[in-house]
Amino acid sequence: MFPFRMFSVLLMAGASITSVHAAEVGVRTFGVAAPERGRDIEVTVWYPAADGGTPGLVGDNRIFKGEPATRDAAIATGRFPLVLLSHGSGARVETMGWLATKLAETGFVVVGPNHPGTTSGDSTPAATPLIWERTADLSAVIDRFSTDPTWSSAIDPARIGVVGFSLGGSTALEIAGARADLEAYARYCDSYDKWDCAWFAGGRGYVDEMPVDVDKVDLRKLDKARFEQSNHDPRIRAAVLVDPGLAQAYVDDSLKAIDIPLSFINLGGPGAIPEAVIADKLAALVPQASYATVTEAVHFSFLPECKDGAGDFLKSVGEIDPICDETGSRSRADIHAELKRLIVDALQRSLKGSF
């Protein structure tokens, strides 16, 4: 739940598709009607490809390496499980492309929205705790892919999963059935002055890609009924939650009632996982949950691989978070390889069969 600072705008400024050798993965970007928002939201979908289209790199920019895919390629024949992606605060779904590409290669249709209010160039503290808007985004995506003839013939509606990172992990957990307690979350921020709680203290946000001064968020003034409502969508049959935010706010009984497989993953070893996202106790309450840690990783390890010199460039433009820093003896590529194995294995087990 880090609110990326200068990085948030840089992602918007540099995103592109660059010509490369053709890939086995197709990609498309389009709008999906989102009734909760009263507008369309932008989604990107990765899928097993047949032929046609334009090869390129998705998510390639000044900071991050892109991933190869073929823009507007034909969809391969078959009915594939659908996996939703929910990005972290201040990021974009394209930053999960390294994972989406692997999942599509493995035989999943993978789609995620850029959540308004918490995406690059459009990110404020006030929008961050409105998890019900994010879960509604995901439900709207399921609606579209279940009814649009282009996609409904390519997905299996009985095999729908979700993968969320950070604030996206909160989103995934709530759409799977967890409910949050507003007072518990407020008490947590009363005594914790880092991560999401530091973001709520005010300072700078981004609207229409421009930095703006933002006021402090008083969590106790949020709409309590909406914050604590159930956002469960029973069409979700499995969830993977990587460093999920709001970790201190969930109602125990709601976790105990979740009846689908959940896979919790924390980035880091014992004693190195921040309080904001530590998930071992959450996993212990969910009947069909697993829990894993990825050693020598940090929260930012889930972001794409950085280009040479990107870290120095970020520091030169005022980014204070260690977006590109490597940790320990492991490269980000090595950490990604482990995460791909964990996430693909979890989804193959829980969505019935290997592909």
Side-chain angles (χ1 to χ4, degrees):
M1 288 187 72
F2 265 111
F4 308 128
R5 296 172 174 84
M6 283 299 298
F7 163 73
S8 179
V9 172
L10 290 166
L11 278 183
M12 289 289 293
S16 65
I17 295 197
T18 310
S19 178
V20 293
H21 182 67
E24 295 292 327
V25 173
V27 65
R28 301 183 189 182
T29 301
F30 50 87
V32 167
E36 176 72 35
R37 304 283 189 180
R39 52 170 284 192
D40 284 1
I41 54 174
E42 181 185 76
V43 305
T44 297
V45 55
W46 293 259
Y47 53 90
D51 52 19
T54 304
L57 287 176
V58 180
D60 189 67
N61 57 42
R62 176 68 178 81
I63 308 301
F64 293 136
K65 298 177 182 178
E67 293 291 333
T70 304
R71 176 69 64 177
D72 298 325
I75 305 168
T77 301
R79 293 177 72 85
F80 307 100
L82 177 66
V83 175
L84 307 176
L85 299 181
S86 186
H87 64 73
S89 175
R92 295 179 65 80
V93 72
E94 293 88 343
T95 63
M96 299 176 78
W98 60 270
L99 174 62
T101 301
K102 179 62 177 179
L103 288 169
E105 289 173 348
T106 310
F108 295 90
V109 172
V110 186
V111 59
N114 286 318
H115 295 288
T118 55
T119 196
S120 299
D122 176 18
S123 182
T124 63
T128 300
L130 311 184
I131 304 297
W132 62 89
E133 294 183 344
R134 282 174 146 252
T135 54
D137 292 342
L138 298 186
S139 291
V141 171
I142 300 176
D143 292 343
R144 171 67 178 271
F145 275 68
S146 300
T147 57
D148 183 329
T150 300
W151 298 105
S152 61
S153 60
I155 68 163
D156 182 346
R159 297 191 291 173
I160 300 177
V162 59
V163 178
F165 166 60
S166 198
L167 186 61
S170 312
T171 308
L173 188 53
E174 293 210 12
I175 202 170
R179 290 181 291 103
D181 181 303
L182 182 58
E183 180 57 29
Y185 193 42
R187 286 198 306 269
Y188 150 73
C189 276
D190 286 344
S191 58
Y192 193 69
D193 61 356
K194 301 175 183 177
W195 288 57
D196 44 342
C197 301
W199 181 230
F200 298 143
R204 298 290 266 180
Y206 293 92
V207 177
D208 295 330
E209 303 179 40
M210 297 299 295
V212 295
D213 293 326
V214 291
D215 294 331
K216 177 180 179 179
V217 174
D218 185 342
L219 292 173
R220 290 183 173 85
K221 291 184 178 179
L222 291 179
D223 186 328
K224 179 179 172 67
R226 298 227 65 183
F227 186 86
E228 296 184 346
Q229 72 184 26
S230 172
N231 297 306
H232 181 219
D233 189 324
R235 295 173 293 183
I236 298 291
R237 303 309 307 155
V240 179
L241 315 116
V242 183
D243 273 7
L246 276 72
Q248 310 302 320
Y250 290 109
V251 177
D252 287 1
D253 286 346
S254 72
L255 296 169
K256 294 175 183 176
I258 294 174
D259 61 358
I260 62 173
L262 300 191
S263 300
F264 292 86
I265 301 172
N266 271 141
L267 301 172
I273 300 165
E275 181 181 354
V277 297
I278 193 164
D280 54 345
K281 293 179 181 178
L282 302 179
L285 292 169
V286 177
Q288 299 182 59
S290 64
Y291 177 71
T293 59
V294 179
T295 60
E296 295 190 61
V298 295
H299 195 65
F300 294 112
S301 300
F302 201 80
L303 296 176
E305 291 182 61
C306 291
K307 292 182 175 179
D308 291 342
D312 290 338
F313 171 74
L314 285 170
K315 291 174 184 176
S316 75
V317 296
E319 175 59 61
I320 64 174
D321 289 322
I323 302 297
C324 292
D325 290 7
E326 300 283 2
T327 58
S329 61
R330 300 188 70 181
S331 68
R332 188 165 293 184
D334 184 46
I335 291 168
H336 282 185
E338 181 176 351
L339 284 165
K340 288 174 186 177
R341 288 194 298 271
L342 288 169
I343 294 169
V344 169
D345 287 351
L347 292 173
Q348 286 182 329
R349 287 194 310 271
S350 55
L351 296 180
K352 310 298 183 186
S354 58
F355 312 100

